[in-house]
mmCIF file of all heavy atoms in Angstrom:
data_model
loop_
_atom_site.group_PDB
_atom_site.id
_atom_site.type_symbol
_atom_site.label_atom_id
_atom_site.label_comp_id
_atom_site.label_asym_id
_atom_site.label_seq_id
_atom_site.Cartn_x
_atom_site.Cartn_y
_atom_site.Cartn_z
ATOM 1 N N LYS S 262 64.489 107.455 103.368
ATOM 2 C CA LYS S 262 64.454 108.890 104.000
ATOM 3 C C LYS S 262 64.680 109.952 102.952
ATOM 4 O O LYS S 262 64.167 111.064 102.973
ATOM 5 C CB LYS S 262 65.526 108.994 105.109
ATOM 6 C CG LYS S 262 65.059 108.400 106.457
ATOM 7 C CD LYS S 262 66.103 108.831 107.467
ATOM 8 C CE LYS S 262 65.774 108.240 108.792
ATOM 9 N NZ LYS S 262 66.704 108.736 109.900
ATOM 10 N N LEU S 263 65.445 109.670 101.951
ATOM 11 C CA LEU S 263 65.887 110.610 100.887
ATOM 12 C C LEU S 263 64.885 110.587 99.736
ATOM 13 O O LEU S 263 65.094 111.195 98.801
ATOM 14 C CB LEU S 263 67.220 110.363 100.342
ATOM 15 C CG LEU S 263 68.456 110.644 101.478
ATOM 16 C CD1 LEU S 263 69.708 110.156 100.941
ATOM 17 C CD2 LEU S 263 68.462 112.058 101.735
ATOM 18 N N SER S 264 63.880 109.732 99.877
ATOM 19 C CA SER S 264 63.052 109.495 98.656
ATOM 20 C C SER S 264 62.196 110.849 98.376
ATOM 21 O O SER S 264 61.934 111.658 99.280
ATOM 22 C CB SER S 264 62.071 108.350 99.021
ATOM 23 O OG SER S 264 61.179 108.593 99.994
ATOM 24 N N ILE S 265 61.674 110.902 97.194
ATOM 25 C CA ILE S 265 60.884 112.044 96.839
ATOM 26 C C ILE S 265 59.707 112.149 97.607
ATOM 27 O O ILE S 265 59.165 113.265 97.874
ATOM 28 C CB ILE S 265 60.594 112.026 95.350
ATOM 29 C CG1 ILE S 265 59.914 113.291 94.825
ATOM 30 C CG2 ILE S 265 59.613 110.768 95.014
ATOM 31 C CD1 ILE S 265 60.842 114.424 94.942
ATOM 32 N N GLN S 266 59.021 111.060 97.989
ATOM 33 C CA GLN S 266 57.768 111.160 98.808
ATOM 34 C C GLN S 266 58.072 111.914 100.194
ATOM 35 O O GLN S 266 57.263 112.633 100.704
ATOM 36 C CB GLN S 266 57.335 109.770 99.207
ATOM 37 C CG GLN S 266 56.696 109.023 97.958
ATOM 38 C CD GLN S 266 57.963 108.330 97.108
ATOM 39 O OE1 GLN S 266 58.989 108.371 97.476
ATOM 40 N NE2 GLN S 266 57.518 107.504 96.083
ATOM 41 N N VAL S 267 59.182 111.654 100.729
ATOM 42 C CA VAL S 267 59.588 112.275 102.083
ATOM 43 C C VAL S 267 59.837 113.664 101.894
ATOM 44 O O VAL S 267 59.329 114.505 102.619
ATOM 45 C CB VAL S 267 60.779 111.531 102.686
ATOM 46 C CG1 VAL S 267 61.200 112.341 103.983
ATOM 47 C CG2 VAL S 267 60.495 110.082 103.040
ATOM 48 N N LEU S 268 60.446 114.093 100.735
ATOM 49 C CA LEU S 268 60.754 115.409 100.477
ATOM 50 C C LEU S 268 59.362 116.158 100.203
ATOM 51 O O LEU S 268 59.170 117.298 100.677
ATOM 52 C CB LEU S 268 61.570 115.529 99.216
ATOM 53 C CG LEU S 268 61.868 116.921 98.722
ATOM 54 C CD1 LEU S 268 62.595 117.752 99.713
ATOM 55 C CD2 LEU S 268 62.741 116.887 97.470
ATOM 56 N N ILE S 269 58.474 115.670 99.395
ATOM 57 C CA ILE S 269 57.155 116.333 99.233
ATOM 58 C C ILE S 269 56.384 116.496 100.395
ATOM 59 O O ILE S 269 55.939 117.613 100.734
ATOM 60 C CB ILE S 269 56.370 115.522 98.168
ATOM 61 C CG1 ILE S 269 57.030 115.533 96.732
ATOM 62 C CG2 ILE S 269 55.004 115.966 98.124
ATOM 63 C CD1 ILE S 269 56.448 114.595 95.770
ATOM 64 N N LYS S 270 56.399 115.556 101.325
ATOM 65 C CA LYS S 270 55.602 115.602 102.499
ATOM 66 C C LYS S 270 56.159 116.761 103.418
ATOM 67 O O LYS S 270 55.419 117.531 104.006
ATOM 68 C CB LYS S 270 55.846 114.340 103.317
ATOM 69 C CG LYS S 270 54.961 114.157 104.605
ATOM 70 C CD LYS S 270 55.059 112.817 105.223
ATOM 71 C CE LYS S 270 54.321 112.790 106.532
ATOM 72 N NZ LYS S 270 54.492 111.448 107.187
ATOM 73 N N SER S 271 57.478 116.828 103.415
ATOM 74 C CA SER S 271 58.105 117.861 104.328
ATOM 75 C C SER S 271 57.817 119.341 103.698
ATOM 76 O O SER S 271 57.698 120.193 104.554
ATOM 77 C CB SER S 271 59.584 117.658 104.498
ATOM 78 O OG SER S 271 60.256 117.730 103.290
ATOM 79 N N ILE S 272 57.869 119.395 102.411
ATOM 80 C CA ILE S 272 57.540 120.664 101.860
ATOM 81 C C ILE S 272 56.092 121.075 102.109
ATOM 82 O O ILE S 272 55.850 122.279 102.368
ATOM 83 C CB ILE S 272 57.723 120.507 100.274
ATOM 84 C CG1 ILE S 272 59.304 120.392 99.937
ATOM 85 C CG2 ILE S 272 57.211 121.817 99.570
ATOM 86 C CD1 ILE S 272 59.618 120.164 98.646
ATOM 87 N N ILE S 273 55.202 120.178 101.966
ATOM 88 C CA ILE S 273 53.819 120.530 102.337
ATOM 89 C C ILE S 273 53.712 121.019 103.757
ATOM 90 O O ILE S 273 52.886 121.983 103.987
ATOM 91 C CB ILE S 273 52.906 119.231 102.039
ATOM 92 C CG1 ILE S 273 52.876 118.833 100.724
ATOM 93 C CG2 ILE S 273 51.404 119.419 102.771
ATOM 94 C CD1 ILE S 273 52.250 117.598 100.354
ATOM 95 N N LYS S 274 54.428 120.415 104.661
ATOM 96 C CA LYS S 274 54.309 120.836 105.961
ATOM 97 C C LYS S 274 55.180 122.170 106.274
ATOM 98 O O LYS S 274 55.344 122.683 107.392
ATOM 99 C CB LYS S 274 54.874 119.798 106.881
ATOM 100 C CG LYS S 274 53.911 118.534 106.959
ATOM 101 C CD LYS S 274 54.410 117.534 108.064
ATOM 102 C CE LYS S 274 53.437 116.369 108.154
ATOM 103 N NZ LYS S 274 53.948 115.362 109.089
ATOM 104 N N LEU S 275 55.854 122.704 105.145
ATOM 105 C CA LEU S 275 56.507 123.847 105.341
ATOM 106 C C LEU S 275 57.803 123.860 106.261
ATOM 107 O O LEU S 275 58.201 124.662 106.867
ATOM 108 C CB LEU S 275 55.589 125.126 105.660
ATOM 109 C CG LEU S 275 54.461 125.485 104.744
ATOM 110 C CD1 LEU S 275 53.645 126.576 105.383
ATOM 111 C CD2 LEU S 275 54.944 125.755 103.328
ATOM 112 N N GLN S 276 58.302 122.457 106.296
ATOM 113 C CA GLN S 276 59.499 122.423 107.023
ATOM 114 C C GLN S 276 60.823 122.396 106.281
ATOM 115 O O GLN S 276 61.659 121.502 106.169
ATOM 116 C CB GLN S 276 59.410 120.895 107.716
ATOM 117 C CG GLN S 276 58.220 120.924 108.715
ATOM 118 C CD GLN S 276 58.075 119.457 109.265
ATOM 119 O OE1 GLN S 276 58.595 118.431 108.648
ATOM 120 N NE2 GLN S 276 57.495 119.349 110.387
ATOM 121 N N PHE S 277 60.908 123.509 105.474
ATOM 122 C CA PHE S 277 62.060 123.645 104.541
ATOM 123 C C PHE S 277 63.357 123.566 105.269
ATOM 124 O O PHE S 277 64.218 122.763 104.901
ATOM 125 C CB PHE S 277 61.976 125.005 103.818
ATOM 126 C CG PHE S 277 60.657 125.140 102.963
ATOM 127 C CD1 PHE S 277 59.697 126.075 103.482
ATOM 128 C CD2 PHE S 277 60.420 124.457 102.020
ATOM 129 C CE1 PHE S 277 58.555 126.197 102.779
ATOM 130 C CE2 PHE S 277 59.280 124.615 101.232
ATOM 131 C CZ PHE S 277 58.274 125.503 101.716
#
Side-chain angles (χ1 to χ4, degrees):
K262 280 187 178 182
L263 293 173
S264 67
I265 188 65
Q266 290 86 355
V267 175
L268 177 60
I269 292 174
K270 184 177 179 181
S271 62
I272 290 175
I273 292 173
K274 290 184 178 181
L275 301 178
Q276 295 176 338
F277 302 110

